Amino acid sequence: VNQPLRERLRLWTQRILRYLLGVTFIYASLDKIAHPDQFALAVYNYRLLPDALVNGVALILPWVELLTGASLLLGFFELPALFIVNGLMLIFIGAVSFNLARGMNINCGCFSTDPAAKGDLAFVLLRDLVLLAMGFLALILYPRRGSSPKHAP
Amino acid sequence: MAGDKGKFMPFRSFSSQILKLLFLLFLSSALALIFNALRPSGIPLVENWEEKMAAKELPEGIRKVEFHDAVEYFSQGHALFVDARDETFYRLSHIQGALNLPVRDFDVMYPLLKDKLDFDRFIIVYCDGSHCEMSEELAARLIGEGYGQVGVYTGGIEEWMERGMPVSTGDDS
């Protein structure tokens, strides 16, 4: 069956976005899993969570990123993974904005837990917005049931 | 037609996606906790951060300046406050009269500000709040330059503002 070009373009765009997000999320998880104590400090410095939740979030969040990334790359549980990606990006954007608004120059803990790796929070916010846009696009381009075959030939 | 199956069961498909989402979250949590329990460098699940941060010792040679000391030095005007953060944040708000010496640009900025940094004046360095390393780093750099009296106000701009102490905006250094 000859699929319309538009449909194929849509499928491939969605697929590429999915792979990019998958790789990004897996990459982001690795340093945090390797250094839980330092990532916990980064989480604490955001000043958004009660102390009792800091370590739990610091432990679990990187694994959510890892599994979500793997889901997107391998193409299983793709839709829930996309929802998690968008949800996480919204949370990250909120957390970064909050600290930016307070004039805090914290280590974002996004890709590196090294406390010396302080970047510009405004740049972090911009990067997060781009990732959210990618996640949102991947979600709306997700092949709908009954509208077209799920996989491109 | 391909994909027609399940077309009229949107609710069932929705709830199965929710279940998958919960499963992903559950599996991540389980793996995280198991991995943490097994590894030697695991961290406790709950920690008293308030205590941990308060107990943090400054390196030798750097004096810890508490809020009430900082207020006293501020009102007497004997000490010089130095903001270790980047200029953008310094401009947003800083302790009134503080100099800005971003630790990130120390090599460029220090020679420019050297004249204002009196060797026999007590220098109080600060950054965001109770936990940012910038003030500590800057204090160490200053000690390396030969300053004998360097302290770190660990409460930082955060505590200073919370307690309603005077701040300035823009550039006054």
Side-chain angles (χ1 to χ4, degrees):
Chain A
V1 190
N2 213 352
Q3 273 187 334
L5 182 65
R6 227 179 109 178
E7 196 55 36
R8 270 194 307 192
L9 197 66
R10 183 178 121 136
L11 282 173
W12 279 103
T13 310
Q14 203 269 348
R15 185 170 286 193
I16 288 166
L17 286 172
R18 177 156 71 81
Y19 290 159
L20 285 175
L21 286 167
V23 170
T24 308
F25 267 65
I26 291 173
Y27 174 68
S29 73
L30 299 179
D31 196 43
K32 295 173 206 165
I33 291 176
H35 305 110
D37 52 332
Q38 286 179 27
F39 183 54
L41 181 62
V43 172
Y44 169 79
N45 280 335
Y46 271 91
R47 300 298 175 82
L48 287 166
L49 290 172
D51 284 9
L53 293 181
V54 168
N55 285 15
V57 167
L59 283 173
I60 292 170
L61 182 65
W63 283 87
V64 173
E65 291 177 337
L66 181 66
L67 263 70
T68 306
S71 292
L72 291 177
L73 264 193
L74 303 174
F76 68 93
F77 286 13
E78 190 190 328
L79 197 55
L82 280 176
F83 273 105
I84 293 177
V85 162
N86 282 286
L88 284 179
M89 289 326 298
L90 284 174
I91 293 171
F92 296 161
I93 286 167
V96 170
S97 309
F98 176 71
N99 278 281
L100 200 58
R102 289 196 309 169
M104 296 292 146
N105 182 24
I106 55 171
N107 166 25
C108 102
C110 309
F111 292 99
S112 166
T113 53
D114 183 359
K118 280 200 182 79
D120 188 346
L121 268 196
F123 170 72
V124 170
L125 182 62
L126 191 69
R127 191 175 61 197
D128 283 359
L129 286 168
V130 170
L131 286 169
L132 177 68
M134 286 167 64
F136 186 67
L137 198 60
L139 198 58
I140 54 172
L141 292 179
Y142 183 79
R144 255 166 253 152
R145 212 181 261 240
S147 66
S148 68
K150 191 176 170 181
H151 296 289
Chain B
M1 266 264 225
D4 262 355
K5 235 167 73 180
K7 197 177 175 184
F8 298 108
M9 289 186 285
F11 290 108
R12 196 179 135 191
S13 129
F14 180 73
S15 60
S16 88
Q17 298 295 354
I18 294 283
L19 279 180
K20 284 179 185 171
L21 192 149
L22 291 176
F23 176 75
L24 265 182
L25 295 178
F26 174 78
L27 188 64
S28 309
S29 312
L31 285 173
L33 298 179
I34 292 168
F35 187 67
N36 184 59
L38 294 180
R39 74 191 297 186
S41 57
I43 60 172
L45 296 184
V46 176
E47 217 170 339
N48 188 337
W49 279 90
E50 210 68 52
E51 230 166 63
K52 188 177 172 177
M53 287 299 141
K56 200 173 160 274
E57 291 290 324
L58 289 172
E60 213 174 315
I62 304 175
R63 269 161 66 186
K64 189 170 179 170
V65 179
E66 302 285 354
F67 176 70
H68 54 90
D69 300 323
V71 172
E72 208 170 303
Y73 283 117
F74 178 78
S75 48
Q76 288 169 351
H78 292 328
L80 177 65
F81 284 84
V82 176
D83 193 318
R85 301 172 302 161
D86 287 353
E87 198 192 339
T88 324
F89 295 101
Y90 172 81
R91 282 174 173 279
L92 283 174
S93 57
H94 56 264
I95 294 179
Q96 209 172 70
L99 277 182
N100 184 211
L101 176 48
V103 68
R104 263 210 312 198
D105 309 321
F106 187 85
D107 295 325
V108 180
M109 295 297 287
Y110 174 68
L112 301 175
L113 293 170
K114 208 176 166 183
D115 295 345
K116 294 180 183 171
L117 293 160
D118 219 330
F119 273 93
D120 21 75
R121 208 166 160 197
F122 185 36
I123 296 175
I124 301 177
V125 184
Y126 71 91
C127 49
D128 293 329
S130 62
H131 205 280
C132 67
E133 295 86 1
M134 281 178 284
S135 49
E136 218 177 290
E137 283 166 38
L138 181 59
R141 295 294 301 262
L142 287 172
I143 286 172
E145 293 293 335
Y147 290 85
Q149 307 179 70
V150 183
V152 167
Y153 167 40
T154 45
I157 189 73
E158 201 180 345
E159 184 184 64
W160 192 260
M161 286 171 78
E162 267 171 22
R163 309 262 181 126
M165 295 300 292
V167 291
S168 313
T169 54
D171 189 5
D172 66 11
S173 62

